[in-house]
Amino acid sequence: MHDKTLTELAACLAAGEFTSRELTESLLARIDRLDGEINSLITVTPDAAREAADRADAARAKGEAGPLTGLPLAIKDLFCTDGVLTTAGSRMLANFVAPYDASVVERLKAAGTVSLGKTNLDEFAMGSSNENSHFGPVKNPWDLAAVPGGSSGGSAAAVAAGLVPAAMGTDTGGSIRQPAAFCGITGLKPTYGRVSRWGIIAYASSLDQAGPMARTAEDCALLLNAIAGHDLRDSTSVARGVPDYTEELAAPLSGLKIGLPREYFGDGLDPEVESAVREAVKVYESLGATVREVSLPHTHYAIPAYYVIAPAEASANLSRYDGVRFGHRCEAPTDLIDLYERSRAEGFGEEVKRRILIGTHTLSEGFFDAYYKKAQQVRRLIRQDFLDAFEEVDVLMGPASPTPAFDLGARKDPVSMYLQDIYTIAVNLAGIPGISVPAGFAGGRPAEGRPVGLQILGTHFAEARLLNVAHRFQQATDWHLRRPAFAEENA
Amino acid sequence: MPMHGPARGASDMVPFAACFPFEDIRIMALEHADVLRAAHLARLGLSEDDAAHYLDDLGRILEMVDQLQALDTEGVAPLAHPLDATQRLRADEVTETDQRDRFQRCAPAVEQGLYLVPRVVE
């Protein structure tokens, strides 16, 4: 059961081959046996999972099953879950039991899914390797010496290891797409505002977006159907109809116009990653697509602009952790300032402190125009690059990351870690959707190497098109069917 | 404004640090006092030693950020929201019920519905 897709599992449940309870027990046993090695889950919720599975089986018996009824998944520990520990990967929230469900969690429950637990992540979603978690790093199931990517590293690793068929992630600068690429799975970052942020612990509010991570584009479509849509509780959620994302999956690609941004194929790109991506593009040509080079001239300003905007928003968002209302509180504070300063110094890890300090500095008196306003102006230019490109082509394609997964502990310098996200960050600044799909391997160690992700970008609200383009690739190739030896040996 | 970087649309732009030829553009070097000031504003306890440690990291991050200065943004409107949307208003109606007890369950210290903090007024 552990290597099936959501779509396959739904068919098995419908045919009565096994029940949701049996499926749940089987995956819980697998988590119990294997997760000690990869550390992909911070909290496992077996009791709640069994109850949800039984409810799903009862609903099915009454003929009330929907497309996701009884299907197991895991949720990044950044989504508030009622009555369940919600840590954001931080010591600050190591004792925080959320008093409510995030909108996404509410919708997934209403759809009948069975959550098995909460996945590990970089603290407050700040990181690209999952090494910034208070609960320890996650290992990549393809190579236990490698990082799974971040910040949704636990979600990606759990799916790759066959512990769950799907997981929810969030993406502020690449945090769904890059770990999906590193772990050989499919991950979709929807358009900003497509999925409600209500109840997701905030990092950078003008960039954060939740999305599905699964084995196939088809499964991502199923999940997006459940989570997309307007939510009055998130004032940035968009009031716009939600199509059935599964409907156009099989549409033919003849005439599809693909743009390859020349800035995404320059120096710094691993040659094996480049050749995997170029091979993938050839597959599209064989499916009837036409390919041309385009330019996104402000690409190289995306990381500098992001490291003004995201820390600025983070410093404001994280000011709520005061040691008074919830979260970590220091011992024996002498006065209120001491309470704030020590609770925050003890509760936050290194990278979070760095970003709070950067954000506070750039927003402070005398620096605002030179940093924040400038970055917001550059943000408009970056978005315009994409809008101009989408006048000429339907989708953009390139690598999700310049390299395959790097070794644990290999990137100690924060700036070199930030530069990893060169191909994903501009997408969040522009608010457009992007998907990463498995497209080969690079590095040749161990035998097969480490997975490579093809990133496909579309204009605002083009999720159905992206899922269609990704699905057709997965019908023509088998990269998404490859499983790491770790998952196979432990079947 | 001096243009140290590649011209707009140049085809040889590449992603890594080596390809950022803007290193001489420093709008303002970060100093030890700036780190302590930011820590104070953020109510983040930082010892002198911590501040020295962060000074190096933050300095390099800001150096990377300073590359923005190479770009002419004269007349470009700042973009705060990727869809250029404005804040939506809702009807001025009560929609929340009183759930104080529930929400205070996760607080470090409460008494009779009040959050406990060290004495503020002597």
Side-chain angles (χ1 to χ4, degrees):
Chain A
M1 300 176 192
H2 73 275
D3 65 352
K4 288 186 163 32
T5 64
L6 287 178
T7 307
E8 289 163 351
L9 289 169
C12 294
L13 291 174
E17 285 178 34
F18 44 78
T19 63
S20 174
R21 177 64 186 258
E22 286 163 348
L23 174 59
T24 299
E25 294 294 354
S26 150
L27 294 178
L28 285 172
R30 226 177 125 74
I31 289 169
D32 206 36
R33 201 150 40 90
L34 300 181
D35 200 45
E37 284 256 40
I38 58 168
N39 197 29
S40 69
L41 289 145
I42 292 174
T43 304
V44 185
T45 52
D47 295 343
R50 290 185 178 108
E51 279 170 36
D54 289 345
R55 269 198 305 280
D57 287 330
R60 186 173 303 281
K62 282 191 281 181
E64 291 166 2
L68 291 173
T69 301
L71 294 178
L73 44 73
I75 292 169
K76 186 178 186 179
D77 209 13
L78 200 65
F79 292 82
C80 284
T81 42
D82 194 4
V84 175
L85 202 59
T86 298
T87 70
S90 181
R91 182 179 180 205
M92 181 59 84
L93 293 176
N95 62 0
F96 176 63
V97 175
Y100 68 106
D101 279 329
S103 284
V104 165
V105 173
E106 211 174 71
R107 287 175 188 234
L108 288 171
K109 279 185 183 172
T113 65
V114 176
S115 171
L116 303 187
K118 309 288 294 288
T119 56
N120 206 339
L121 68 159
D122 283 300
E123 185 179 2
F124 286 101
M126 299 179 192
S128 311
S129 69
N130 215 125
E131 292 170 295
N132 296 336
S133 170
H134 174 64
F135 300 90
V138 176
K139 292 177 182 169
N140 190 322
W142 287 93
D143 183 345
L144 298 183
V147 301
S151 68
S152 310
S155 291
V159 173
L163 306 183
V164 282
M168 295 309 305
T170 64
D171 189 317
T172 304
S175 284
I176 286 175
R177 291 159 288 152
Q178 183 252 27
F182 280 12
C183 289
I185 67 164
T186 306
L188 172 73
K189 182 205 93 76
T191 305
Y192 180 78
R194 179 74 295 186
V195 176
S196 171
R197 293 183 297 109
W198 193 76
I200 300 172
I201 293 171
Y203 160 22
S205 303
S206 79
L207 302 161
D208 295 342
Q209 183 61 197
M213 303 171 78
R215 301 210 163 96
T216 63
E218 186 176 27
D219 285 1
C220 287
L222 272 178
L223 288 169
L224 187 61
N225 275 350
I227 62 173
H230 187 217
D231 180 5
L232 286 173
R233 297 170 299 190
D234 169 6
S235 65
T236 61
S237 125
V238 175
R240 178 181 172 121
V242 178
D244 178 349
Y245 291 106
T246 60
E247 220 159 63
E248 298 292 321
L249 280 174
L253 298 187
S254 51
L256 178 78
K257 286 181 280 182
I258 297 172
L260 304 182
R262 72 168 71 103
E263 294 81 3
Y264 286 27
F265 292 88
D267 282 358
L269 176 59
D270 179 294
E272 288 181 61
V273 172
E274 173 166 5
S275 82
V277 167
R278 294 206 185 270
E279 283 302 312
V281 171
K282 280 188 199 148
V283 172
Y284 279 104
E285 285 179 300
S286 76
L287 295 172
T290 59
V291 178
R292 53 176 293 188
E293 191 179 79
V294 296
S295 176
L296 302 171
H298 296 94
T299 295
H300 297 103
Y301 297 100
I303 290 177
Y306 179 90
Y307 279 98
V308 174
I309 292 168
E313 295 183 9
S315 71
N317 274 324
L318 271 59
S319 66
R320 74 191 64 186
Y321 303 101
D322 58 4
V324 174
R325 292 160 303 164
F326 57 94
H328 177 75
R329 179 179 205 156
C330 66
E331 290 288 337
T334 55
D335 58 29
L336 197 57
I337 296 295
D338 181 48
L339 167 64
Y340 295 150
E341 291 191 341
R342 274 203 293 130
S343 298
R344 290 166 62 79
E346 293 168 7
F348 295 134
E350 285 259 305
E351 181 60 25
V352 172
K353 286 180 189 172
R354 249 180 237 129
R355 295 194 196 188
I356 289 175
L357 290 170
I358 287 283
T360 306
H361 176 71
T362 57
L363 288 178
S364 66
E365 194 185 355
F367 297 101
F368 181 87
D369 279 4
Y371 287 125
Y372 195 69
K373 186 178 165 209
K374 183 81 179 180
Q376 285 194 316
Q377 290 174 310
V378 173
R379 184 175 188 179
R380 183 175 297 278
L381 298 176
I382 288 167
R383 187 183 66 158
Q384 195 58 45
D385 283 354
F386 284 109
L387 297 180
D388 291 346
F390 290 126
E391 290 286 316
E392 297 174 33
V393 296
D394 300 314
V395 294
L396 296 170
M397 288 187 188
S401 176
T403 66
F406 43 91
D407 285 348
L408 283 152
R411 299 271 151 88
K412 294 213 179 346
D413 167 55
V415 173
S416 74
M417 186 73 92
Y418 300 168
L419 295 174
Q420 269 297 308
D421 295 331
I422 178 75
Y423 305 136
T424 50
I425 263 180
V427 170
N428 300 74
L429 292 168
I432 60 171
I435 190 168
S436 176
V437 295
F441 293 86
R445 193 180 70 81
E448 247 185 335
R450 297 174 183 179
V452 172
L454 168 72
Q455 182 176 224
I456 311 166
L457 307 175
T459 196
H460 297 113
F461 300 102
E463 286 84 357
R465 188 60 160 159
L466 290 187
L467 288 161
N468 159 231
V469 171
H471 177 70
R472 294 300 303 228
F473 181 72
Q474 294 183 331
Q475 290 196 310
T477 60
D478 69 352
W479 301 115
H480 63 293
L481 300 177
R482 308 289 180 89
R483 301 284 180 260
F486 176 82
E488 297 297 342
E489 282 160 15
N490 294 291
Chain B
M1 178 166 298
M3 279 296 299
H4 294 256
R8 191 178 191 282
S11 62
D12 57 348
M13 286 207 254
V14 287
F16 281 90
C19 69
F20 282 122
F22 318 136
E23 273 156 31
D24 51 336
I25 300 174
R26 298 294 304 277
I27 47 174
M28 50 217 106
L30 192 74
E31 291 175 10
H32 191 77
D34 295 322
V35 178
L36 290 175
R37 173 169 167 268
H40 170 70
L41 291 171
R43 299 292 182 270
L44 195 58
L46 220 58
S47 68
E48 289 281 337
D49 283 356
D50 291 341
H53 164 71
Y54 283 110
L55 178 62
D56 181 47
D57 281 353
L58 303 187
R60 278 179 303 120
I61 295 167
L62 289 177
E63 197 174 299
M64 184 265 287
V65 160
D66 283 348
Q67 290 153 17
L68 294 176
Q69 305 307 325
L71 202 55
D72 183 4
T73 53
E74 186 69 36
V76 178
L79 180 71
H81 183 294
L83 304 172
D84 261 333
T86 50
Q87 191 73 0
R88 191 174 55 233
L89 300 176
R90 65 169 176 85
D92 186 13
E93 288 162 359
V94 176
T95 55
E96 286 291 320
T97 53
D98 178 8
Q99 301 184 68
R100 186 178 69 179
D101 292 346
R102 182 178 176 77
F103 294 155
Q104 286 193 332
R105 244 178 265 152
C106 49
V110 288
E111 198 175 290
Q112 297 174 338
L114 303 173
Y115 292 96
L116 293 186
V117 295
R119 182 179 294 276
V120 176
V121 181
E122 293 297 334

